[in-house]
Amino acid sequence: MDLNQTARDLAYEYRDLAAGKRLTIEMRLEPSLPEAYAVPRLIHEAAANYITNAIKYTPEGGRITLRTRHEDT
């Protein structure tokens, strides 16, 4: 699965909820990120949980950063 695309999809999906608190969703996606072997639905659900918590607990006017990166291990 393409984790960068998942991050883009989630940013789009939660943009209105974030805007309601005047939050900015920023993306820092590693362009050369390899595909991940995972169940897309489960990754989407887990990441959505992080994003909704970030929206809930970030002070109004703040910023949420979605970041992908590749590590050697």
Side-chain angles (χ1 to χ4, degrees):
M1 70 174 289
D2 183 344
L3 292 174
N4 284 339
Q5 187 58 51
T6 300
R8 285 187 211 80
D9 293 345
L10 288 163
Y12 181 80
E13 185 176 335
Y14 288 96
R15 75 184 190 290
D16 292 338
L17 187 61
K21 282 187 66 181
R22 295 186 311 117
L23 299 174
T24 301
I25 297 179
E26 174 183 291
M27 290 189 288
R28 294 186 182 180
L29 307 179
E30 184 173 315
S32 61
L33 191 70
E35 288 191 348
Y37 297 99
V39 179
R41 179 185 58 80
L42 296 178
I43 296 299
H44 186 276
E45 288 176 7
N49 186 50
Y50 282 116
I51 292 170
T52 56
N53 282 335
I55 291 169
K56 182 176 180 179
Y57 295 108
T58 300
E60 189 168 320
R63 179 179 356 172
I64 297 167
T65 303
L66 302 181
R67 180 175 302 157
T68 61
R69 71 175 189 222
H70 178 254
E71 293 188 11
D72 292 333
T73 57

